[in-house]
Amino acid sequence: MADRARPRALSLTSGLVVLAVALVLALLLSIAVSSRGLSLPTVLDALFHFDAADPDHLVVRELRLPRTLAGVLAGVALGLSGAVIQGATRNPLADPGLLGVNAGAALFVVLGISTLGITSVTGYVWFGFAGAAVAGAVVYGISALGRVGATPMKLALAGAAVTAALQSVTSGLLLTDATTFDQYRFWQVGSLTGRDEAAIIQARPFIVVGVVLALVSARMLNALALGEDVARALGQNVAVARVVCALAVVVLCGSATAIAGPIAFVGLTVPHVARLITGPDHRWLLPYSALISPLLLLVSDVVGRVVARPAEVQVGIVTAVIGAPLFIVLVRRRKLVTV
């Protein structure tokens, strides 16, 4: 058994290295390519010999670099949160929106815009994170009622009900406030444009905490995948495992949504792609999802800048165009929908 496991571990480790290299190349591509053409030497000068008086250098350092870092952070958070929520609920079609996290973040952002006049991404981070946390806690609290606790089915039903309720409140607020609607619609579509360094610095600690929680939950998710009774027989505290997974999803998805808006299909599709390579073992599935997701997000953002020059297509639209048909292909393959 050990002789067969060693080559597989070596192969999967090599895959992680290849993905890490590809992510670095995508990061450089994201900094170098934009609707405003800048030569590669200019971009490199801006990175390594920054001149604050040069407007081209300012474009690279003040706009492109924060945008790229926002894409990496949001991508890592979306990929991990999708993998964790699919494993915790044992539902291969689950995504972070299932637990009402996106709807909670959106409602709190709307409240921040309409009541306090928040217009910056820095402000969105705090409201989005708070909304995601509150919505996640409400969903888990509702699903935990009763003797059997928060089962996957109860989590899904409670999440759907809370999502519908929160979206109704959000729609009601937007219909009565045209100014808030104008501000909100640019955030809602999902975009990395205009993300400044302050927003990234504020979101970074939350995403680091979420990444740690997600990676720690790998063995718990492997146990939960065998069923709650088997997990208990193996000594796993199911309630603690679900709380850790829920916290990871809330922190990661809330932060990502606040940074980039509700980007669709990344958290839903990437874990399935990663599962194609790693199988169901979350000790490998989570790192693969954490690398594939930002790679997809950065490449989608670059495509959005190039296809509509001199304008841009928001990354949330590009990921939906790429992710929807890919996800349909994946779910039609019966073996892939088994978590």
Side-chain angles (χ1 to χ4, degrees):
M1 182 68 74
D3 290 340
R4 283 186 296 174
R6 194 174 295 113
R8 173 173 168 75
L10 183 61
S11 174
L12 290 174
T13 302
S14 301
L16 285 176
V17 173
V18 171
L19 282 175
V21 172
L23 180 58
V24 171
L25 293 176
L27 193 149
L28 295 175
L29 186 69
S30 176
I31 296 174
V33 176
S34 179
S35 56
R36 174 176 175 173
L38 292 179
S39 65
L40 184 59
T42 301
V43 173
L44 294 177
D45 274 345
L47 291 177
F48 299 109
H49 305 94
F50 177 63
D51 180 2
D54 189 328
D56 289 340
H57 286 199
L58 287 174
V59 168
V60 173
R61 293 294 290 267
E62 302 296 332
L63 296 178
R64 294 188 186 180
L65 187 57
R67 177 174 183 165
T68 300
L69 294 178
V72 173
L73 290 177
V76 170
L78 289 171
L80 281 176
S81 61
V84 170
I85 198 171
Q86 288 178 10
T89 61
R90 299 178 65 194
N91 183 349
L93 301 182
D95 74 340
L98 180 71
L99 293 184
V101 175
N102 285 348
L107 175 59
F108 271 57
V109 168
V110 169
L111 288 173
I113 296 172
S114 63
T115 60
L116 300 178
I118 301 297
T119 58
S120 68
V121 177
T122 306
Y124 293 167
V125 168
W126 291 102
F127 281 93
F129 179 73
V134 170
V138 170
V139 169
Y140 187 81
I142 294 174
S143 62
L145 295 175
R147 288 187 301 173
V148 295
T151 64
M153 180 61 72
K154 290 173 68 178
L155 276 170
L157 292 174
V162 170
T163 297
L166 294 177
Q167 287 176 341
S168 297
V169 176
T170 301
S171 298
L173 289 172
L174 293 175
L175 288 174
T176 57
D177 190 340
T179 303
T180 300
F181 177 75
D182 286 340
Q183 185 69 29
Y184 173 76
R185 63 192 175 95
F186 289 103
W187 177 83
Q188 185 186 28
V189 73
S191 173
L192 301 176
T193 307
R195 276 46 183 168
D196 56 25
E197 188 176 355
I200 295 170
I201 291 174
Q202 288 194 0
R204 191 170 51 192
F206 296 114
I207 293 181
V208 170
V209 171
V211 169
V212 172
L213 287 172
L215 295 179
V216 166
S217 71
R219 291 184 181 277
M220 303 177 189
L221 291 170
N222 283 346
L224 290 176
L226 301 174
E228 291 191 5
D229 292 338
V230 177
R232 288 192 183 93
L234 293 174
Q236 182 66 59
N237 188 321
V238 174
V240 171
R242 294 210 181 283
V243 169
V244 171
C245 293
L247 284 175
V249 170
V250 167
V251 172
L252 288 171
C253 194
S255 303
T257 304
I259 292 175
I263 294 179
F265 287 106
V266 175
L268 186 61
T269 304
V270 166
H272 287 280
V273 176
R275 202 171 286 114
L276 273 175
I277 305 170
T278 68
D281 189 344
H282 287 83
R283 292 174 300 176
W284 291 105
L285 175 62
L286 293 174
Y288 267 79
S289 297
L291 290 176
I292 294 174
S293 183
L295 181 61
L296 171 63
L297 202 59
L298 290 181
V299 171
S300 297
D301 191 39
V302 172
V303 170
R305 298 179 212 172
V306 174
V307 297
R309 282 180 172 176
E312 295 184 3
V313 178
Q314 304 301 328
V315 67
I317 298 173
V318 178
T319 57
V321 170
I322 296 174
L326 177 61
F327 185 71
I328 291 172
V329 171
L330 288 172
V331 298
R332 285 178 61 85
R333 301 181 62 176
R334 187 178 180 85
K335 290 183 179 178
L336 294 181
V337 300
T338 302
V339 174

